Amino acid sequence: MNLVPNNLPNSCIDCAEISNSAFEILSENEINEISKYKTCFQFKKGQILFDEGSMLNGVFCINKGKVKLYKLGIDGKEQIIDISKEGSLLGFRMLLAEVTSKVTAETLENSSICFIPKTPFLKLLSTNIKFQGGLLKIACQELGIMTDSITNFAQKPVRERLASILLVLMGTYRPKNHIDGNIEINLSREDLANIIGSATETTIRVLREFNTQNLIKIRGRKISIIDEKGLISIARNS
Amino acid sequence: MNLVPNNLPNSCIDCAEISNSAFEILSENEINEISKYKTCFQFKKGQILFDEGSMLNGVFCINKGKVKLYKLGIDGKEQIIDISKEGSLLGFRMLLAEVTSKVTAETLENSSICFIPKTPFLKLLSTNIKFQGGLLKIACQELGIMTDSITNFAQKPVRERLASILLVLMGTYRPKNHIDGNIEINLSREDLANIIGSATETTIRVLREFNTQNLIKIRGRKISIIDEKGLISIARNS
DNA sequence: CGAATCTTTGAAAGACGTCAACATTGGTGG
DNA sequence: CCACCAATGTTGACGTCTTTCAAAGATTCG
């Protein structure tokens, strides 16, 4: 596990993802100030940022890459709660609720991720009501997303859940400034199954079915969506 | 639906639930100030506070009673996201995320619930960083609870989910200052099924089974827990 | 008391997970 | 660059859990 610290870009103001993050709300001066405390790390695929049950002394912000957040459930089966992408802030719930992490954070690809220590982060939060308000808004939005997610898990069968998640992942895997054309979802079948909460085999079977029905196109492990409307209609259970 | 406005207690400072609410963090003066804007209503069982998809001009705070929050899923089946009790603040997510409500809020019993209009509430929030921080902490805790909830739905079968929910409901239905003895859960079988996301008949069958195994005691619709440890062991899937 | 609602039970069909075997892929060292 | 191994992906058969549908009991409340 070689963590290569790398402070480029020097200030978060130059980060391509700033407008996409919780820091967007800050002034240039405020961004430069908090930037002083950040360190940017290069993570390889499969590295753990923090473990379920651990207490972290700061937060991570994704500059480039993807991170899966999961809990271990029955028989050690991962339940993936979220696939975070560029701009996401990780670990702030645990700092704010003053509890150990509910999830493990693991990179899904080689990623560039910054770390901001607890002290300056909490200071910013306790002195800047706008920033705190922005974070509160983000938390409320996530609560809304989880509300939908619970309803899906509780009521929808695997086929609907898979269609629904593929549509969400299309957003997660859409390249920046993407206009048209293919979006390729690049996840193992097992991860996919661990998002929708099914057996890997079941997920594969339904994927094959979607492929046959020309809703998606499977190339190796890569999945691209062909018929978005068709998937929406299945996800809606109609 | 006759809403009987009733401003007693005059200030939230006299509310028995204040120490149990988001307002706990405020000073006496601040509580008195926000109290000026609140109105207390008496709701009958089954009344709707706000509907899924609606936009509310304020927040509710439960003084006495219980409220179920649900989304309508497939075929109009309710998915109950939460049973809120005394002290809970309802509707703030929708104000903060600036979206329409994800859920419908309906009273489960005759309840006394206060309404605070949007303007003074948002003003308090934008001028009092401690209060905002308290709300942020609450939101983060709820995110943690929902994370667990998603894992349960995704991985645990009905028996485990039911055992798990009964334990949670024991807390919800524990009377104030309760020391020992019986806690009676008073919910329809259908509501119970709509919490754990199963068919009503399945819920009934598993309840009967728990009853036979002396884990719970069923008296009419009322359920009391006899063997807490036994239920914990089932909920843990072990 | 009686209508309406809620609860309970049974039987049958369907969805999904598990297990086992086999195919494919990607990465590694020779 | 190739051969090989381990990890990942795929398929089929089977059993179990859960839902659905139908109908009968129990409760509640006006």
Side-chain angles (χ1 to χ4, degrees), chain B residues 188-189 201 204-205 208:
Chain B
S188 73
R189 299 291 186 260
E201 296 91 327
I204 288 171
R205 277 183 253 265
R208 291 278 130 204

Side-chain angles (χ1 to χ4, degrees), chain A residues 6-222:
Chain A
N6 170 2
N7 270 305
L8 301 174
N10 278 312
S11 167
C12 301
I13 198 85
D14 299 320
C15 175
E17 302 299 332
I18 191 84
S19 67
N20 196 22
S21 80
F23 300 105
E24 171 210 28
I25 212 166
L26 297 177
S27 72
E28 185 166 340
N29 278 345
E30 288 164 342
I31 293 177
N32 286 333
E33 174 60 23
I34 191 71
S35 294
K36 290 181 190 165
Y37 302 97
K38 77 125 172 36
T39 312
C40 199
F41 294 96
Q42 303 304 315
F43 288 94
K44 298 233 163 122
K45 175 178 176 175
Q47 280 192 286
I48 306 284
L49 303 186
F50 51 87
D51 268 304
E52 186 177 347
S54 71
M55 190 69 190
L56 199 65
N57 262 322
V59 295
F60 287 103
C61 188
I62 308 178
N63 171 58
K64 182 92 197 66
K66 309 221 185 309
V67 176
K68 65 173 168 180
L69 305 178
Y70 61 86
K71 262 182 83 72
L72 291 183
I74 297 172
D75 293 330
K77 183 176 164 69
E78 292 178 7
Q79 180 56 42
I80 298 181
I81 305 297
D82 188 39
I83 307 277
S84 294
K85 62 171 185 171
E86 289 83 359
S88 291
L89 198 62
L90 307 177
F92 72 90
R93 300 175 207 175
M94 124 179 74
L95 283 190
L96 295 176
E98 289 162 7
V99 293
T100 57
S101 179
K102 288 278 178 184
V103 295
T104 297
E106 178 182 335
T107 52
L108 281 171
E109 39 189 81
N110 294 343
S111 303
S112 158
I113 302 177
C114 298
F115 179 78
I116 301 170
K118 177 178 178 170
T119 309
F121 180 78
L122 287 183
K123 188 181 170 199
L124 174 61
L125 207 60
S126 65
T127 53
N128 190 320
I129 199 165
K130 265 195 194 169
F131 181 63
Q132 199 187 60
L135 219 50
L136 180 52
K137 185 172 174 179
I138 289 173
C140 287
Q141 287 166 344
E142 287 185 9
L143 280 170
I145 291 170
M146 288 185 126
T147 299
D148 290 343
S149 181
I150 286 176
T151 307
N152 283 343
F153 275 115
Q155 298 199 356
K156 288 185 183 169
V158 168
R159 175 191 324 286
E160 279 86 331
R161 297 210 299 276
L162 180 56
S164 184
I165 288 297
L166 287 175
L167 291 165
V168 171
L169 289 174
M170 204 168 62
T172 308
Y173 281 87
R174 174 177 290 119
K176 227 179 155 71
N177 306 320
H178 170 90
I179 319 258
D180 249 342
N182 243 23
I183 298 173
E184 286 198 324
I185 297 168
N186 184 14
L187 275 174
S188 73
R189 299 291 187 258
E190 190 179 3
D191 279 342
L192 215 40
N194 288 342
I195 298 175
I196 67 172
S198 79
T200 306
E201 297 91 327
T202 304
T203 299
I204 288 171
R205 277 183 254 266
V206 181
L207 278 176
R208 291 276 131 206
E209 189 190 317
F210 285 175
N211 191 58
T212 305
Q213 298 170 345
N214 284 313
L215 294 162
I216 62 174
K217 176 87 189 166
I218 298 178
R219 244 183 306 161
R221 66 144 45 178
K222 306 269 185 72

